[in-house]
Amino acid sequence: MSFSAAIRMAAIGAVALGLSACATNSPENAALGINDPYENSVNRSIHSFNKGFDRYALRPVSQGYDAVTPGLFRLLISNALNHLEAPRDFANHILTAEFESAGRTLLRFAVNTTVGAGGLLDPATDFELEKEDADFGKTLAVWGAGEGVYYEIPFLGPSTVRHTAGRVVDLALAPTSYLGEPLIAGGVAAVAAVEARDDNLGAIDSVLYDSPDSYIAVRSFYLDARRAFVTNGESQNLDDLEDF
């Protein structure tokens, strides 16, 4: 397992232990269809930590990255990161019997690997082979698994029990998990986080720093996007909040 994988697993394990005590969802959250029994005991504290990490580390680094990195180089990085998600997308399309999407994903991967310089370029999109996101959290939902409680994970941001379980499986599908070089795998994860933060600067700043209650804003934003994604709705903004 890579260094980044170990960090993620440790974070997930720490949260799971922290949430092991009994808690009761508030009537207000229940009325909104939100299962957040740990809001005041754990989640708001972790949210404050994540917000501080974003304010003093991730946001400044992403702004510096944007300032010094040429646009073409950033595009190549973005293409490469999307290309690395193809095995995850393909496997989960198969697991949910979305065979046409699986076929298009496989063809997209083949085109971008060969004609697209190993994924640095994206000619597949020009051939109308758009990226079709899928993950194991969605697969679990299709199989009938419930969403579970909502919580925030240090550094990783908002999640649910189902999504966290999905993240662990998706991690095993990531090509970087098999590189055998922890620094490379960790570097790829760090670049992905910075790239995502830079790409969604306005949206994340609005939710985190312009909302009267950033915790409520992040939770609503995340759950709305996640629920739309697992029901084949619009999945834009889904990844925006997963890395701060």
Side-chain angles (χ1 to χ4, degrees):
M1 179 179 290
S2 70
F3 177 76
S4 62
I7 292 295
R8 287 173 179 259
M9 291 296 293
I12 291 169
V15 171
L17 289 174
L19 299 181
S20 60
C22 295
T24 303
N25 195 32
S26 70
E28 294 81 5
N29 287 338
L32 295 172
I34 296 172
N35 187 8
D36 185 7
Y38 306 106
E39 175 179 350
N40 295 313
S41 60
V42 177
N43 281 343
R44 282 189 176 272
S45 295
I46 296 176
H47 174 77
S48 294
F49 170 82
N50 286 339
K51 187 173 180 179
F53 174 72
D54 180 82
R55 183 188 300 273
Y56 298 111
L58 186 55
R59 187 176 188 275
V61 169
S62 69
Q63 289 177 312
Y65 167 80
D66 181 73
V68 303
T69 307
L72 177 59
F73 187 69
R74 289 171 51 206
L75 177 62
L76 296 177
I77 290 176
S78 179
N79 287 340
L81 292 172
N82 283 333
H83 192 63
L84 290 174
E85 293 179 349
R88 178 203 72 182
D89 296 339
F90 174 77
N92 284 292
H93 285 314
I94 292 292
L95 291 172
T96 54
E98 296 176 330
F99 299 119
E100 290 186 3
S101 293
R104 288 191 294 268
T105 297
L106 184 60
L107 184 56
R108 173 185 169 83
F109 181 78
V111 168
N112 283 348
T113 298
T114 54
V115 184
L120 291 175
L121 304 177
D122 184 18
T125 295
D126 294 332
F127 299 151
E128 298 184 354
L129 293 169
E130 301 283 346
K131 188 176 188 300
E132 299 180 51
D133 290 322
D135 62 32
F136 196 69
K138 178 180 179 180
T139 296
L140 289 173
V142 172
W143 289 353
E147 184 176 71
V149 301
Y150 170 88
Y151 51 85
E152 287 211 25
I153 301 174
F155 300 109
L156 301 184
S159 192
T160 62
V161 170
R162 183 175 65 199
H163 189 194
T164 299
R167 280 171 158 169
V168 174
V169 174
D170 289 333
L171 186 62
L173 297 173
T176 52
S177 295
Y178 304 95
L179 289 175
E181 292 291 338
L183 290 179
I184 295 177
V188 170
V191 170
V194 171
E195 178 73 22
R197 184 61 174 93
D198 179 54
D199 282 346
N200 302 283
L201 180 66
I204 295 177
D205 280 0
S206 177
V207 173
L208 270 184
Y209 304 116
D210 298 335
S211 304
D213 186 334
S214 62
Y215 177 80
I216 297 298
V218 167
R219 186 180 67 184
S220 297
F221 188 98
Y222 167 81
L223 288 175
D224 287 348
R226 188 70 202 170
R227 289 168 179 176
F229 177 63
V230 300
T231 56
N232 289 320
E234 293 295 327
S235 62
Q236 289 92 339
N237 301 328
L238 174 62
D239 295 326
D240 299 2
L241 302 177
E242 292 185 357
D243 291 300
F244 68 83

mmCIF file of all heavy atoms in Angstrom, residues 96-124:
data_model
loop_
_atom_site.group_PDB
_atom_site.id
_atom_site.type_symbol
_atom_site.label_atom_id
_atom_site.label_comp_id
_atom_site.label_asym_id
_atom_site.label_seq_id
_atom_site.Cartn_x
_atom_site.Cartn_y
_atom_site.Cartn_z
ATOM 1 N N THR A 96 -22.085 -2.263 -11.931
ATOM 2 C CA THR A 96 -23.475 -1.786 -11.925
ATOM 3 C C THR A 96 -24.189 -2.098 -13.240
ATOM 4 O O THR A 96 -25.245 -1.545 -13.515
ATOM 5 C CB THR A 96 -23.524 -0.270 -11.660
ATOM 6 O OG1 THR A 96 -22.678 0.416 -12.599
ATOM 7 C CG2 THR A 96 -23.073 0.052 -10.244
ATOM 8 N N ALA A 97 -23.579 -2.977 -14.035
ATOM 9 C CA ALA A 97 -24.178 -3.434 -15.295
ATOM 10 C C ALA A 97 -24.405 -2.303 -16.289
ATOM 11 O O ALA A 97 -25.293 -2.375 -17.135
ATOM 12 C CB ALA A 97 -25.501 -4.174 -15.035
ATOM 13 N N GLU A 98 -23.589 -1.253 -16.201
ATOM 14 C CA GLU A 98 -23.640 -0.163 -17.182
ATOM 15 C C GLU A 98 -22.611 -0.482 -18.273
ATOM 16 O O GLU A 98 -21.552 0.138 -18.388
ATOM 17 C CB GLU A 98 -23.330 1.173 -16.502
ATOM 18 C CG GLU A 98 -24.365 1.577 -15.462
ATOM 19 C CD GLU A 98 -23.992 2.855 -14.719
ATOM 20 O OE1 GLU A 98 -22.770 3.122 -14.553
ATOM 21 O OE2 GLU A 98 -24.902 3.576 -14.299
ATOM 22 N N PHE A 99 -22.944 -1.478 -19.078
ATOM 23 C CA PHE A 99 -21.960 -2.037 -20.003
ATOM 24 C C PHE A 99 -21.629 -1.085 -21.151
ATOM 25 O O PHE A 99 -20.500 -1.081 -21.651
ATOM 26 C CB PHE A 99 -22.455 -3.378 -20.530
ATOM 27 C CG PHE A 99 -22.653 -4.405 -19.439
ATOM 28 C CD1 PHE A 99 -23.917 -4.951 -19.209
ATOM 29 C CD2 PHE A 99 -21.597 -4.796 -18.634
ATOM 30 C CE1 PHE A 99 -24.101 -5.879 -18.203
ATOM 31 C CE2 PHE A 99 -21.778 -5.724 -17.618
ATOM 32 C CZ PHE A 99 -23.040 -6.268 -17.402
ATOM 33 N N GLU A 100 -22.591 -0.282 -21.585
ATOM 34 C CA GLU A 100 -22.294 0.688 -22.632
ATOM 35 C C GLU A 100 -21.310 1.739 -22.113
ATOM 36 O O GLU A 100 -20.354 2.109 -22.812
ATOM 37 C CB GLU A 100 -23.577 1.348 -23.128
ATOM 38 C CG GLU A 100 -24.485 0.418 -23.921
ATOM 39 C CD GLU A 100 -25.670 1.145 -24.515
ATOM 40 O OE1 GLU A 100 -25.744 2.391 -24.348
ATOM 41 O OE2 GLU A 100 -26.527 0.484 -25.123
ATOM 42 N N SER A 101 -21.536 2.201 -20.883
ATOM 43 C CA SER A 101 -20.608 3.164 -20.286
ATOM 44 C C SER A 101 -19.238 2.538 -20.081
ATOM 45 O O SER A 101 -18.203 3.184 -20.283
ATOM 46 C CB SER A 101 -21.160 3.664 -18.947
ATOM 47 O OG SER A 101 -22.327 4.445 -19.143
ATOM 48 N N ALA A 102 -19.224 1.261 -19.693
ATOM 49 C CA ALA A 102 -17.954 0.563 -19.521
ATOM 50 C C ALA A 102 -17.198 0.482 -20.843
ATOM 51 O O ALA A 102 -15.977 0.700 -20.897
ATOM 52 C CB ALA A 102 -18.192 -0.834 -18.958
ATOM 53 N N GLY A 103 -17.927 0.170 -21.913
ATOM 54 C CA GLY A 103 -17.295 0.090 -23.227
ATOM 55 C C GLY A 103 -16.730 1.419 -23.680
ATOM 56 O O GLY A 103 -15.607 1.483 -24.212
ATOM 57 N N ARG A 104 -17.500 2.486 -23.463
ATOM 58 C CA ARG A 104 -17.008 3.817 -23.854
ATOM 59 C C ARG A 104 -15.798 4.221 -23.013
ATOM 60 O O ARG A 104 -14.848 4.840 -23.522
ATOM 61 C CB ARG A 104 -18.129 4.849 -23.720
ATOM 62 C CG ARG A 104 -19.214 4.728 -24.782
ATOM 63 C CD ARG A 104 -20.139 5.930 -24.750
ATOM 64 N NE ARG A 104 -20.909 5.993 -23.530
ATOM 65 C CZ ARG A 104 -22.122 5.453 -23.368
ATOM 66 N NH1 ARG A 104 -22.687 4.792 -24.378
ATOM 67 N NH2 ARG A 104 -22.778 5.575 -22.229
ATOM 68 N N THR A 105 -15.833 3.874 -21.726
ATOM 69 C CA THR A 105 -14.710 4.201 -20.852
ATOM 70 C C THR A 105 -13.451 3.459 -21.286
ATOM 71 O O THR A 105 -12.347 4.031 -21.307
ATOM 72 C CB THR A 105 -15.047 3.853 -19.391
ATOM 73 O OG1 THR A 105 -16.149 4.661 -18.959
ATOM 74 C CG2 THR A 105 -13.861 4.099 -18.469
ATOM 75 N N LEU A 106 -13.603 2.181 -21.637
ATOM 76 C CA LEU A 106 -12.455 1.402 -22.098
ATOM 77 C C LEU A 106 -11.907 1.960 -23.411
ATOM 78 O O LEU A 106 -10.679 2.078 -23.582
ATOM 79 C CB LEU A 106 -12.870 -0.057 -22.280
ATOM 80 C CG LEU A 106 -11.753 -1.035 -22.676
ATOM 81 C CD1 LEU A 106 -10.664 -1.054 -21.620
ATOM 82 C CD2 LEU A 106 -12.341 -2.432 -22.886
ATOM 83 N N LEU A 107 -12.801 2.332 -24.311
ATOM 84 C CA LEU A 107 -12.361 2.893 -25.583
ATOM 85 C C LEU A 107 -11.700 4.243 -25.372
ATOM 86 O O LEU A 107 -10.667 4.551 -25.999
ATOM 87 C CB LEU A 107 -13.554 3.021 -26.532
ATOM 88 C CG LEU A 107 -13.254 3.519 -27.960
ATOM 89 C CD1 LEU A 107 -12.215 2.636 -28.628
ATOM 90 C CD2 LEU A 107 -14.550 3.563 -28.778
ATOM 91 N N ARG A 108 -12.261 5.044 -24.479
ATOM 92 C CA ARG A 108 -11.666 6.341 -24.157
ATOM 93 C C ARG A 108 -10.249 6.157 -23.611
ATOM 94 O O ARG A 108 -9.313 6.870 -24.001
ATOM 95 C CB ARG A 108 -12.541 7.070 -23.133
ATOM 96 C CG ARG A 108 -11.931 8.361 -22.590
ATOM 97 C CD ARG A 108 -12.795 8.956 -21.483
ATOM 98 N NE ARG A 108 -12.096 10.029 -20.811
ATOM 99 C CZ ARG A 108 -12.048 11.287 -21.245
ATOM 100 N NH1 ARG A 108 -12.680 11.638 -22.349
ATOM 101 N NH2 ARG A 108 -11.377 12.204 -20.582
ATOM 102 N N PHE A 109 -10.081 5.188 -22.723
ATOM 103 C CA PHE A 109 -8.777 4.912 -22.137
ATOM 104 C C PHE A 109 -7.780 4.489 -23.211
ATOM 105 O O PHE A 109 -6.619 4.939 -23.221
ATOM 106 C CB PHE A 109 -8.911 3.823 -21.067
ATOM 107 C CG PHE A 109 -7.622 3.467 -20.384
ATOM 108 C CD1 PHE A 109 -7.096 4.287 -19.405
ATOM 109 C CD2 PHE A 109 -6.934 2.312 -20.719
ATOM 110 C CE1 PHE A 109 -5.902 3.973 -18.761
ATOM 111 C CE2 PHE A 109 -5.745 1.982 -20.087
ATOM 112 C CZ PHE A 109 -5.236 2.813 -19.107
ATOM 113 N N ALA A 110 -8.228 3.626 -24.130
ATOM 114 C CA ALA A 110 -7.339 3.148 -25.195
ATOM 115 C C ALA A 110 -6.920 4.292 -26.116
ATOM 116 O O ALA A 110 -5.740 4.408 -26.484
ATOM 117 C CB ALA A 110 -8.031 2.045 -25.994
ATOM 118 N N VAL A 111 -7.876 5.143 -26.474
ATOM 119 C CA VAL A 111 -7.567 6.261 -27.374
ATOM 120 C C VAL A 111 -6.584 7.223 -26.717
ATOM 121 O O VAL A 111 -5.574 7.628 -27.324
ATOM 122 C CB VAL A 111 -8.859 6.995 -27.776
ATOM 123 C CG1 VAL A 111 -8.535 8.321 -28.476
ATOM 124 C CG2 VAL A 111 -9.712 6.120 -28.681
ATOM 125 N N ASN A 112 -6.868 7.596 -25.479
ATOM 126 C CA ASN A 112 -6.000 8.575 -24.816
ATOM 127 C C ASN A 112 -4.640 7.995 -24.450
ATOM 128 O O ASN A 112 -3.653 8.729 -24.353
ATOM 129 C CB ASN A 112 -6.692 9.133 -23.573
ATOM 130 C CG ASN A 112 -7.750 10.146 -23.912
ATOM 131 O OD1 ASN A 112 -7.847 10.610 -25.046
ATOM 132 N ND2 ASN A 112 -8.585 10.501 -22.942
ATOM 133 N N THR A 113 -4.575 6.687 -24.237
ATOM 134 C CA THR A 113 -3.289 6.064 -23.944
ATOM 135 C C THR A 113 -2.399 6.038 -25.178
ATOM 136 O O THR A 113 -1.186 6.279 -25.095
ATOM 137 C CB THR A 113 -3.492 4.622 -23.437
ATOM 138 O OG1 THR A 113 -4.246 4.649 -22.212
ATOM 139 C CG2 THR A 113 -2.146 3.950 -23.167
ATOM 140 N N THR A 114 -2.999 5.771 -26.318
ATOM 141 C CA THR A 114 -2.212 5.633 -27.550
ATOM 142 C C THR A 114 -2.066 6.969 -28.274
ATOM 143 O O THR A 114 -0.978 7.535 -28.353
ATOM 144 C CB THR A 114 -2.871 4.597 -28.468
ATOM 145 O OG1 THR A 114 -4.244 4.945 -28.703
ATOM 146 C CG2 THR A 114 -2.807 3.202 -27.852
ATOM 147 N N VAL A 115 -3.160 7.494 -28.782
ATOM 148 C CA VAL A 115 -3.127 8.740 -29.547
ATOM 149 C C VAL A 115 -2.890 9.947 -28.632
ATOM 150 O O VAL A 115 -2.351 10.965 -29.063
ATOM 151 C CB VAL A 115 -4.437 8.921 -30.340
ATOM 152 C CG1 VAL A 115 -4.383 10.163 -31.223
ATOM 153 C CG2 VAL A 115 -4.733 7.686 -31.173
ATOM 154 N N GLY A 116 -3.267 9.812 -27.374
ATOM 155 C CA GLY A 116 -3.182 10.939 -26.448
ATOM 156 C C GLY A 116 -1.942 10.962 -25.590
ATOM 157 O O GLY A 116 -1.965 11.529 -24.475
ATOM 158 N N ALA A 117 -0.860 10.355 -26.053
ATOM 159 C CA ALA A 117 0.433 10.437 -25.345
ATOM 160 C C ALA A 117 0.332 9.945 -23.907
ATOM 161 O O ALA A 117 0.791 10.603 -22.964
ATOM 162 C CB ALA A 117 0.970 11.867 -25.381
ATOM 163 N N GLY A 118 -0.286 8.777 -23.744
ATOM 164 C CA GLY A 118 -0.366 8.184 -22.414
ATOM 165 C C GLY A 118 -1.343 8.872 -21.482
ATOM 166 O O GLY A 118 -1.270 8.688 -20.271
ATOM 167 N N GLY A 119 -2.254 9.658 -22.032
ATOM 168 C CA GLY A 119 -3.259 10.331 -21.211
ATOM 169 C C GLY A 119 -2.975 11.791 -20.957
ATOM 170 O O GLY A 119 -3.797 12.483 -20.337
ATOM 171 N N LEU A 120 -1.850 12.292 -21.441
ATOM 172 C CA LEU A 120 -1.556 13.716 -21.264
ATOM 173 C C LEU A 120 -2.456 14.582 -22.146
ATOM 174 O O LEU A 120 -2.767 15.727 -21.801
ATOM 175 C CB LEU A 120 -0.087 13.997 -21.596
ATOM 176 C CG LEU A 120 0.946 13.415 -20.627
ATOM 177 C CD1 LEU A 120 2.344 13.673 -21.149
ATOM 178 C CD2 LEU A 120 0.775 14.009 -19.232
ATOM 179 N N LEU A 121 -2.878 14.026 -23.263
ATOM 180 C CA LEU A 121 -3.816 14.698 -24.152
ATOM 181 C C LEU A 121 -5.163 13.995 -24.072
ATOM 182 O O LEU A 121 -5.265 12.874 -23.560
ATOM 183 C CB LEU A 121 -3.294 14.690 -25.593
ATOM 184 C CG LEU A 121 -1.905 15.296 -25.802
ATOM 185 C CD1 LEU A 121 -1.476 15.155 -27.261
ATOM 186 C CD2 LEU A 121 -1.878 16.752 -25.373
ATOM 187 N N ASP A 122 -6.197 14.630 -24.580
ATOM 188 C CA ASP A 122 -7.539 14.068 -24.469
ATOM 189 C C ASP A 122 -8.256 14.090 -25.817
ATOM 190 O O ASP A 122 -9.301 14.728 -25.960
ATOM 191 C CB ASP A 122 -8.341 14.841 -23.410
ATOM 192 C CG ASP A 122 -9.725 14.255 -23.173
ATOM 193 O OD1 ASP A 122 -9.951 13.089 -23.546
ATOM 194 O OD2 ASP A 122 -10.587 14.986 -22.635
ATOM 195 N N PRO A 123 -7.732 13.378 -26.825
ATOM 196 C CA PRO A 123 -8.422 13.339 -28.108
ATOM 197 C C PRO A 123 -9.746 12.591 -28.034
ATOM 198 O O PRO A 123 -10.624 12.802 -28.874
ATOM 199 C CB PRO A 123 -7.430 12.607 -29.019
ATOM 200 C CG PRO A 123 -6.590 11.794 -28.089
ATOM 201 C CD PRO A 123 -6.463 12.623 -26.853
ATOM 202 N N ALA A 124 -9.919 11.726 -27.028
ATOM 203 C CA ALA A 124 -11.147 10.951 -26.915
ATOM 204 C C ALA A 124 -12.372 11.853 -26.776
ATOM 205 O O ALA A 124 -13.440 11.555 -27.314
ATOM 206 C CB ALA A 124 -11.068 9.991 -25.728
#
